[in-house]
Amino acid sequence: MNFFNDRELARRFKAETVPPKERFYYLIIYILFFEIINSSLFNNWISEVEEPSWWVDGFNLAIIFFGTILCYCANAKGDNKEFIERYICIGFPIAVQVFILEVVLIGIINFTTGLGMFISKMWYIAAMAINGTSLSRGEIDIQVHNMFGNIITVTEIENMILEFIVGLYFYLRLRSSIKIAAH
């Protein structure tokens, strides 16, 4: 089984050397992998948001929908065979890559957010030292009103950007690998 190298798996599909039993293993592992990633336990681990965000979830569903259509079209322009097997099996090593990418991006976001908070506190201390006065400082939560008058928080916007980056990577990579297998 290929746990990371999607190109090698695409070549094996093209050569028709991926046996049905191995395809079944990819399917089971793929489903379990995404169930764990989409679980509330994992989502609470990466984000402080306790309530589900309809905007992030809707955005994610749109990425999945259009990404799957792009992959299907790439397969149809080739030999138009084994789309589901290719989608699931080739998607598995790409999902592992996406997991690593997401962990790295979350680490960067957490580092920069922490660094930003540190710098903000330093500026606050410096301003107090220069002015000699105590400044009133409350938590600033930047909010954007969407077209329905509801509020989208910065955290939701960050989540949407993160979902867009990893979703774009996943589906462009999957489409490219399906093209290898289908042509």
Side-chain angles (χ1 to χ4, degrees), residues 99-164:
F99 176 75
I100 293 168
L101 174 65
E102 200 162 12
V103 167
V104 168
L105 289 175
I106 290 168
I108 291 170
I109 289 168
N110 287 340
F111 175 75
T112 56
T113 302
L115 184 61
M117 290 174 67
F118 173 77
I119 292 170
S120 173
K121 287 179 183 177
M122 291 300 109
W123 277 111
Y124 174 71
I125 291 169
M128 282 181 33
I130 292 169
N131 293 332
T133 61
S134 175
L135 303 173
S136 63
R137 184 173 184 268
E139 288 295 318
I140 300 171
D141 186 16
I142 301 170
Q143 300 176 341
V144 177
H145 290 275
N146 65 29
M147 62 184 160
F148 300 109
N150 298 328
I151 294 175
I152 301 175
T153 65
V154 171
T155 303
E156 288 175 315
I157 293 171
E158 288 173 349
N159 286 343
M160 288 171 64
I161 292 169
L162 180 64
E163 290 298 323
F164 178 75

